[in-house]
Every structure is written in C-alpha cells, then in structure tokens.
Amino acid sequence: MCMKLVISPEKYDFMVLPNLQGDIVSDLCAGLVGGLGLAPSANIGEKISIFEAVHGTAPDITGKNLANPTALLLSGLMMIRHLGFQEKADYIHLALRTTLEKGFRTKDLCRPGIQYLSTSDFAEAVIDHIPPIACRVVTELPKAAVIPSPPVKNVLKLSPGRNKLLEKTMGIDIFLDTELPIQKIAETIISIIPKD
C-alpha cells in the first residue's frame, strides 16, 4: 500500500487503518507533501473538534526557534473555517502560500547550506504577507460559529468509481467521543462501507 501511495497518491480519497499503521502511513503521506512540518490534522466530532499538527513535540529542537509553524497554522486555518470564518482563513492561507512561493523556508524545508528562517522570522514573514483588508475587526460571529455541526451520517464516502481501491484489511485511526463498545463502533463502520 505504501508503494501505491508514493507512486499514485491521487488514487486515494481516504484510508482506514489500525492505530500503528495509521501513524506510519500518515507520516509517509506527510513526506509526500514536504514533511511533517506541513501536515495539519483535524478530528471532527458532533460536539467536539480538535485541530492539531500531525507532528509530535520534537524535543530535539525545543526552545531553539527552529520548528516549522506551517502545520500548526494550517490546522488553525481548518479550525477557523470550521467556526465559519472562511474569508479570514482564506486571507491567512494566501499569506502563507505567498510566503512559501517567495522562497521563505524553515530549516526542515532546506537542503544543508541553504539559508533558512527561524520559527519567529517565518511567522513574521507570513504576517507581513496578510493583506490589509484582512485586518478588519470581526464584529459578529458568522452563523456557522453558533450552529453545532450536523450529525455524521456516513463518514466513509468514495468518489464514483473508486470502490475498487478499498484494501481488504481495515482498521481505524480517529478520535471518537462515545460510550459505545468498540464492537458496536466496528459494526457501524463496516455497515456503511460500500460492498463490491
């Protein structure tokens, strides 16, 4: 499966894997887009949602001002969109994209010998690229911010014609806020997977 992901990642909409394999494959997927420093994540529930960078704590660079803030920023943008502030998120995302397109990089995205920015300098570069119009004060919350997320009916959806890409081995690597027993969760997930 990992080889297929590297050769043709566009063939996959999603993957459901056991925890250990999910962790390994998510790291591989992060590598396909530039590294763990660029990989955001979100766990969306009916009442609670969690937004965080995929990477861990990186104790080897703690306090050295070397971390890439992009994954955390992208996770924050997903949260801002989830709260209904689409336009604000778009401005910040544009600033991040412009910063990267102009060649500003943190150490993890540079080859040895290439000049890179510290975490704080990279964050300042992103801030410098936020358009002035984005700095208007928000006076009221968008409707999406006060309306709870709708109940999830069918988590696993495939694009038309993609059913053949499902692997035989299935597991799960998501956060569930439930009191249901694990067997009931497994049965529910299996019941919504399209049959061949």
Side-chain angles (χ1 to χ4, degrees):
M1 173 181 10
C2 289
M3 182 185 76
K4 290 178 185 176
L5 268 171
V6 171
I7 293 171
S8 304
E10 73 280 357
K11 290 184 178 180
Y12 294 87
D13 290 331
F14 68 90
M15 296 180 132
V16 182
L17 300 164
N19 190 39
L20 175 62
Q21 288 82 359
D23 189 43
I24 293 167
V25 172
S26 65
D27 285 1
L28 177 133
C29 290
L32 293 174
V33 297
L36 289 171
L38 299 176
S41 75
N43 298 295
I44 311 288
E46 289 184 40
K47 297 178 185 175
I48 298 172
S49 297
I50 299 170
F51 301 84
E52 60 185 345
V54 168
H55 60 69
T57 58
D60 57 319
I61 60 170
T62 300
K64 296 181 181 176
N65 204 19
L66 294 175
N68 185 341
T70 304
L72 193 57
L73 179 57
L74 290 171
S75 299
L77 290 175
M78 286 194 297
M79 179 182 69
I80 292 168
R81 287 187 174 101
H82 183 70
L83 293 172
F85 295 99
Q86 182 69 40
E87 184 180 23
K88 296 293 185 184
D90 289 344
Y91 286 131
I92 298 167
H93 193 240
L94 176 63
L96 172 62
R97 183 175 172 175
T98 302
T99 301
L100 291 167
E101 287 174 352
K102 287 187 174 182
F104 294 101
R105 301 283 187 272
T106 50
K107 185 176 182 179
D108 62 311
L109 299 178
C110 290
R111 293 186 182 100
I114 303 294
Q115 188 173 4
Y116 56 86
L117 296 178
S118 66
T119 306
S120 54
D121 288 340
F122 185 83
E124 285 297 323
V126 173
I127 292 167
D128 289 345
H129 289 103
I130 296 175
I133 192 169
C135 298
R136 295 178 305 189
V137 176
V138 176
T139 57
E140 63 181 59
L141 294 176
K143 291 181 181 179
V146 294
I147 299 172
S149 300
V152 177
K153 299 288 186 206
N154 187 352
V155 177
L156 303 176
K157 292 183 179 179
L158 293 175
S159 299
R162 303 292 284 270
N163 297 18
K164 294 177 183 166
L165 295 177
L166 273 177
E167 296 287 330
K168 297 285 183 191
T169 305
M170 296 187 145
I172 194 159
D173 187 19
I174 60 173
F175 170 79
L176 297 174
D177 181 20
T178 181
E179 294 179 15
L180 292 173
I182 191 70
Q183 188 60 36
K184 181 66 177 165
I185 296 168
E187 290 169 1
T188 303
I189 292 172
I190 289 169
S191 73
I192 62 173
I193 295 174
K195 306 292 185 250
D196 286 351

